[in-house]
Amino acid sequence: MSQRLAVIGTGVIGNGWIARALSRGWDVVAFDPDPEAPVRTRAFVAGAWGSLEKLGLAEGASPERLTFVDSLEAAVAGADLIQENVPERLPLKQEILAAIDAAAEDQVVIGSSTSGFKPSDLQLNCTRAPGRVVVAHPFNPVYLLPLVELVGGEATEPVQVERARALYQALAMRPLVVRREIEGHIADRLMEALWREALHLVNDGVATTEEIDAAVVYGCGLRWSLMGTFLTFHLAGGEQGMRHMLEQFGPALKLPWTRLEAPELTDELIDRVVEGCEHQAAGRPVAELDRRRDDFLVALLDLVQKYWPEAEGLEGRI
């Protein structure tokens, strides 16, 4: 018997969940108050399907297994998993999650795609079974990138987190259970730190957007895609590993190389960033850049799958 995903909100992230679930042979029921949502979503899925075919479709996978309904209550009825993707405004998310919680059966996991809010805040107005409301934060494009950060709130029991983990694994995701709730979770906090420094470098005239992106693509990004941050630095210590690296380079952490505060987004800085990105895009529309990104990610995912985590014996830990 196929599983069913209910998707509430069909922007870029919601549509990404839809495409992924369809590719895994799930039925998807979606609700979005925008009357143009069905057309937009079906076009999105059609655009993503070629990349999903390259990765490999599950038996029974089909875009035809998507249904739009005209109410939130109809969407969540009979769902095995519910994914909320409304705009990142806490009062709105609390309102929608409370409505989902009231309508859905008690045991059904409700995941929020929030990139920053803590699950305890999201659970605040839920009265039926608040513990099953968890953060399930994916990464764009959701239909290709496998990481999903799972975070339980104050009302969440371990069994509910484990139930969520199993469901997202069934969607071919790599669930990362965050040990305690914190704004921004893990990955976004790391990306925001790099983003702040990048903005300072542009603002101070040190580098252009293209030069900064090249530094990531041809330098640290290549290593990070295989080893992440800590194992990369472990190798920097030579045969003695991380301990030697910290002894050698640890004192440099106290040097004022980086800035914790983001620069003020002045009109001048905004213009520099926008003009830099438009130069990099070289007149190519976003849809073309999306396809280029997806083709690259499909090839890269094959390579990552070859070398990590299986070769490191980490399968099943995330």
Side-chain angles (χ1 to χ4, degrees):
M1 183 177 178
S2 64
Q3 292 181 289
R4 177 180 293 183
L5 174 69
V7 174
I8 309 300
T10 59
V12 172
I13 299 301
N15 284 338
W17 280 115
I18 289 171
R20 174 173 283 272
L22 292 171
S23 76
R24 303 319 302 163
W26 285 42
D27 293 316
V28 180
V29 181
F31 169 69
D32 192 305
D34 183 352
E36 299 299 318
V39 172
R40 186 178 62 240
T41 295
R42 294 186 193 282
F44 183 100
V45 171
W49 205 252
S51 296
L52 289 165
E53 286 178 322
K54 293 175 184 177
L55 282 180
L57 300 174
E59 184 178 354
S62 171
E64 300 305 314
R65 299 180 74 161
L66 168 63
T67 303
F68 268 82
V69 293
D70 59 6
S71 72
L72 178 152
E73 290 76 14
V76 305
D80 296 291
L81 174 64
I82 301 167
Q83 193 72 27
E84 168 272 310
N85 315 279
V86 302
E88 196 79 349
R89 299 195 296 272
L90 183 58
L92 175 61
K93 283 191 176 288
Q94 289 173 329
E95 176 186 350
I96 297 300
L97 287 167
I100 296 172
D101 175 59
E105 294 296 325
D106 293 359
Q107 78 282 0
V108 180
V109 171
I110 303 170
S112 173
S113 295
T114 180
S115 59
F117 296 130
K118 295 192 295 185
S120 291
D121 293 332
L122 299 174
Q123 296 171 350
L124 194 60
N125 296 334
C126 299
T127 57
R128 181 170 184 173
R132 45 72 177 273
V133 176
V134 298
V135 166
H137 174 230
F139 296 82
N140 186 43
V142 182
Y143 54 90
L144 293 182
L145 296 184
L147 182 65
V148 58
E149 294 177 313
L150 296 181
V151 196
E154 294 176 1
T156 304
E157 298 293 337
V159 66
Q160 293 168 314
V161 174
E162 288 306 310
R163 187 181 302 134
R165 185 207 296 265
L167 286 163
Y168 288 104
Q169 284 177 332
L171 285 170
M173 300 294 284
R174 295 279 184 164
L176 173 60
V177 177
V178 180
R179 296 174 181 268
R180 64 185 181 89
E181 55 182 328
I182 184 173
E183 292 89 347
H185 324 313
I186 296 174
D188 272 2
R189 294 176 74 96
L190 296 173
M191 290 189 293
E192 284 292 327
L194 181 61
W195 176 231
R196 286 192 295 270
E197 292 303 316
L199 288 174
H200 275 296
L201 292 171
V202 172
N203 195 49
D204 295 344
V206 175
T208 66
T209 61
E210 187 172 21
E211 290 163 349
I212 291 167
D213 284 352
V216 175
V217 170
Y218 296 110
C220 52
L222 289 172
R223 298 179 300 181
W224 287 345
S225 64
L226 174 66
M227 296 182 174
T229 305
F230 283 97
L231 196 56
T232 292
F233 280 130
H234 178 66
L235 269 61
E239 291 299 323
Q240 297 178 57
M242 177 62 81
R243 185 171 299 279
H244 182 64
M245 196 286 296
L246 289 175
E247 290 172 353
Q248 288 288 98
F249 301 106
L253 294 173
K254 295 294 186 180
L255 298 176
W257 286 359
T258 59
R259 308 191 189 191
L260 296 178
E261 296 282 339
E264 182 181 353
L265 285 176
T266 61
D267 290 341
E268 181 182 3
L269 176 55
I270 290 172
D271 288 343
R272 284 191 192 179
V273 172
V274 170
E275 289 167 7
C277 291
E278 289 176 348
H279 172 74
Q280 289 177 257
R284 292 169 293 182
V286 170
E288 180 182 338
L289 296 174
D290 278 343
R291 288 192 297 271
R292 180 171 178 264
R293 175 203 63 195
D294 289 0
D295 288 344
F296 172 79
L297 287 175
V298 168
L300 183 60
L301 283 167
D302 284 341
L303 193 61
V304 171
Q305 188 73 12
K306 179 179 178 180
Y307 287 95
W308 196 95
E310 286 76 9
E312 304 294 336
L314 296 176
E315 180 66 25
R317 297 190 192 180
I318 65 169

